[in-house]
Amino acid sequence: MRPRSLPFDPIARAAQLWGDRIGDATTMAAVTSVMRVQQILQSAVDGALKPHGLTFARYEALVLLTFSKRGSLPMRVMGERLQLHPTSVTNIVDRLEADGLVRRTPHPTDRRTTLAEITDAGRQRQAEATEAVTAVDFGLRGLTERQTNQLTDLLAKVRRATGDFQD
């Protein structure tokens, strides 16, 4: 159940009070807005994925494997691409494997490496889940396509500045 809408913007109100009592509220309001929007997006995506038995992390892993040339990747590479700790990748693959959506296979030329390979059931689940998340626009509403592209560009600047990736 969705909480009722407030008759005012609580972040704008907090920014006004912050400005009156502490100082410039520009960054506080921006960060608080991003965090609130993240909650909104997470809720929408979780709601779309739950009927498919997936979390966003497991969904991302299935998408990554689907995008790979052979439908498989070394688990280390999955961690790098998903920007996750190796333990987290192991847990994700454990769950997907238990559900029959991926299987672990030995690397054909490197005995030290294990591949995660998407199964036909994994491809089917990924396709169904993709329909579900795209039907709700990943929860991102109220923006034009141009504004969505601008938002992506702005957030990429923050990510780049904090060392999340390099050009």
Side-chain angles (χ1 to χ4, degrees):
M1 182 173 160
R2 188 176 172 194
R4 72 173 180 83
S5 289
L6 295 173
F8 64 93
D9 180 350
I11 296 171
R13 175 83 49 88
Q16 180 183 8
L17 294 169
W18 184 283
D20 292 345
R21 297 177 185 180
I22 297 174
D24 183 33
T26 306
T27 303
M28 182 283 295
V31 170
T32 304
S33 293
V34 168
M35 294 179 127
R36 176 62 185 133
V37 169
Q38 190 275 337
Q39 292 171 336
I40 293 166
L41 300 177
Q42 189 74 48
S43 177
V45 170
D46 287 349
L49 292 175
K50 187 174 183 176
H52 303 282
L54 294 173
T55 62
F56 190 63
R58 292 197 290 266
Y59 171 71
E60 280 187 306
L62 290 177
V63 170
L64 179 64
L65 291 171
T66 300
F67 287 171
S68 68
K69 291 178 188 172
R70 294 181 183 87
S72 65
L73 286 170
M75 290 178 53
R76 174 189 53 77
V77 172
M78 288 181 68
E80 290 169 1
R81 304 263 169 85
L82 296 172
Q83 297 176 304
L84 295 172
H85 188 275
T87 303
S88 297
V89 175
T90 299
N91 290 336
I92 289 167
V93 171
D94 285 347
R95 292 294 304 270
L96 292 171
E97 189 174 37
D99 290 343
L101 305 177
V102 301
R103 67 179 148 261
R104 284 179 170 90
T105 60
H107 191 282
T109 59
D110 184 353
R111 293 184 327 192
R112 300 166 297 169
T113 302
T114 298
L115 301 175
E117 179 180 13
I118 193 165
T119 64
D120 289 340
R123 288 182 188 280
Q124 180 66 31
R125 184 83 56 92
Q126 181 271 331
E128 293 165 356
T130 296
E131 286 181 28
V133 294
T134 56
V136 298
D137 292 324
F138 286 83
L140 189 61
R141 299 186 181 200
L143 298 178
T144 65
E145 183 176 349
R146 182 171 180 253
Q147 290 169 329
T148 300
N149 288 328
Q150 289 173 327
L151 176 62
T152 302
D153 291 344
L154 289 170
L155 294 173
K157 287 182 179 196
V158 174
R159 294 174 46 231
R160 185 180 302 108
T162 60
D164 197 40
F165 68 95
Q166 300 172 14
D167 286 331

